[in-house]
Amino acid sequence: AFQTMNLSGVVLVLVLVSLISVEAAGSSKGDQHPWFNRCLKNCVEQRDCSDPDNEFATKASLILRMTFWDCESDCKYVCMREHNKNRIEEERPVLQYYGKWPFIRVLGFQELFSALFSLGNFIPYFWGFFAYSQKVPASYHLRPIFLVYALCGCFTWFFSFIFHCRDTDTTEFLDYLFASFTYFFGSFWTTVRIFQVRSWKKKLLVFLFFAGWCVQHWNYMLNVNFDYDYNILVGIVNGLYQTFLWFFWYYQRRKESGRGSYPKRVVLGYLCLWIAGTMELFDFPPILQLVDPHSLWHAGTIPLAYLLWTFLIEDSNFEEQKIMKEKYDLGS
């Protein structure tokens, strides 16, 4: 049966996949453009940004100060917007700057809709934590793992909200840190759930593998090359791994007595996730200079998060009932 597949074989495949996950470096043409750099240099000099009491520091609105804009970052924004305006008037392609499209700043928010939709994704994980803890019995062996996953999701989407509000080195680091840990943790719980790993020692071994892969990923991103495309590639590898396991699980379990129709939710969820994910792969300039594919990707994952937690709650209850029946049959 599928659930009795050799777990070490799966780990070997994952090791090979992690080793061949190589980066595809990219850069933003906007912040490298000579016009932009001349504008930025002039702005910084004219405002005397090196002086703590510079023009921006004394005249900036409260909302800009609250969202941690400073003299130089405001110069970057002003020059980006002016350069983008000129290129649109000249009917030239819109460029990205520092890995982002030239969004209109709203109330200090750099990416208004990505920030709001990130907050929207926080809600189902917050709800999922309490719903799962109330509806799934404490005796279920994966209950602590799923509750940790819910908290990971909350932290991930909170820091995604902060990052899209205001892009700094610190907010970027926290966004990537928690997002990568969450999808590695997702691969961990998918593995122990699909292969019915009930021993905590074996669970720990699986966790250590994914934790090690995650730390290797962090080390590369922080100490070798902070590569956005590489980070996306590693996320895709984890997503493909999880999708393969759940689709195979569904094929094996679709006619199992007593499960009802709930297994279809996981297939539907992953199909919709990949459809929404195409937004990230086929990027285009923001609509009305506010809504880009990345924000639409975040919008699309909100209902999928609710779908995930309703599936996990029903699946966990079914599995716990099956385990209790097995124990009863052994004891009788």
Side-chain angles (χ1 to χ4, degrees):
F2 181 65
Q3 67 183 47
T4 61
M5 276 179 62
N6 192 328
L7 191 59
S8 62
V10 177
V11 172
L12 177 60
V13 172
L14 285 169
V15 170
L16 294 174
V17 169
S18 66
L19 289 175
I20 63 173
S21 297
V22 295
E23 76 277 11
S27 60
S28 299
K29 294 180 179 179
D31 56 88
Q32 296 178 347
H33 197 282
W35 191 100
F36 173 82
N37 282 287
R38 284 196 301 270
C39 174
L40 178 59
K41 182 175 181 293
N42 293 335
C43 179
V44 170
E45 290 176 352
Q46 289 173 7
R47 292 186 179 184
D48 195 14
C49 288
S50 59
D51 183 354
D53 297 320
N54 59 68
E55 178 185 346
F56 180 84
T58 56
K59 296 182 180 180
S61 65
L62 177 62
I63 192 66
L64 292 182
R65 293 198 296 271
M66 288 177 62
T67 46
F68 303 105
W69 289 87
D70 58 21
C71 183
E72 185 174 349
S73 61
D74 189 66
C75 278
K76 289 179 181 179
Y77 173 77
V78 170
C79 290
M80 176 190 73
R81 295 295 305 158
E82 187 63 28
H83 189 215
N84 184 60
K85 177 184 175 184
N86 294 340
R87 291 185 66 84
I88 290 175
E89 291 175 351
E90 295 168 1
E91 298 183 350
R92 294 184 179 183
V94 176
L95 301 178
Q96 290 191 345
Y97 302 78
Y98 304 103
K100 295 179 180 291
W101 292 111
F103 298 96
I104 296 174
R105 185 171 60 192
V106 180
L107 299 175
F109 285 28
Q110 279 182 275
E111 300 174 81
L112 177 64
F113 283 94
S114 286
L116 294 178
F117 292 144
S118 293
L119 201 59
N121 277 279
F122 171 90
I123 297 172
Y125 280 89
F126 186 77
W127 170 83
F129 178 85
F130 289 101
Y132 191 91
S133 61
Q134 292 171 2
K135 297 181 180 181
V136 175
S139 56
Y140 182 51
H141 68 107
L142 292 180
R143 186 174 183 269
I145 291 173
F146 286 126
L147 291 178
V148 170
Y149 180 68
L151 293 176
C152 287
C154 289
F155 279 107
T156 293
W157 288 110
F158 172 75
F159 285 112
S160 176
F161 166 73
I162 297 298
F163 172 62
H164 290 303
C165 287
R166 182 71 181 88
D167 181 358
T168 67
D169 289 343
T170 301
T171 59
E172 182 179 51
F173 168 74
L174 291 171
D175 176 56
Y176 279 78
L177 180 79
F178 281 98
S180 58
F181 182 77
T182 297
Y183 57 66
F184 278 113
F185 198 84
S187 292
F188 158 65
W189 68 250
T190 296
T191 303
V192 296
R193 165 61 189 89
I194 294 293
F195 294 104
Q196 301 287 345
V197 182
R198 298 180 186 178
S199 164
W200 280 102
K201 288 183 179 180
K202 292 180 180 179
K203 287 190 184 83
L204 179 60
L205 288 175
V206 177
F207 174 77
L208 288 175
F209 167 78
F210 284 104
W213 188 5
C214 184
V215 170
Q216 179 270 332
H217 176 62
W218 289 345
N219 178 67
Y220 179 86
M221 291 288 289
L222 296 175
N223 299 319
V224 180
N225 183 16
F226 203 92
D227 192 305
Y228 303 92
D229 293 331
Y230 166 72
N231 186 66
I232 291 174
L233 179 59
V234 173
I236 290 174
V237 169
N238 276 271
L240 286 172
Y241 171 70
Q242 295 170 31
T243 302
F244 170 77
L245 288 187
W246 279 116
F247 274 48
F248 208 95
W249 173 85
Y250 173 74
Y251 179 79
Q252 294 287 322
R253 297 285 180 265
R254 67 191 188 283
K255 294 181 180 180
E256 185 176 357
S257 176
R259 283 196 188 272
S261 62
Y262 86 83
K264 294 180 181 178
R265 292 180 207 165
V266 74
V267 174
L268 176 64
Y270 273 99
L271 282 175
C272 292
L273 187 67
W274 284 106
I275 293 171
T278 59
M279 291 292 181
E280 292 279 39
L281 299 177
F282 304 103
D283 208 359
F284 54 81
I287 302 166
L288 301 177
Q289 302 183 62
L290 285 170
V291 182
D292 74 326
H294 186 73
S295 64
L296 295 176
W297 151 250
H298 284 339
T301 55
I302 297 173
L304 299 183
Y306 281 107
L307 189 68
L308 170 68
W309 283 104
T310 58
F311 166 81
L312 289 178
I313 289 169
E314 196 158 349
D315 182 66
S316 296
N317 282 316
F318 181 87
E319 287 299 309
E320 176 61 10
Q321 290 174 8
K322 190 168 71 171
I323 292 170
M324 296 302 293
K325 185 177 184 302
E326 289 173 0
K327 290 180 178 178
Y328 176 80
D329 292 341
L330 287 173
S332 60

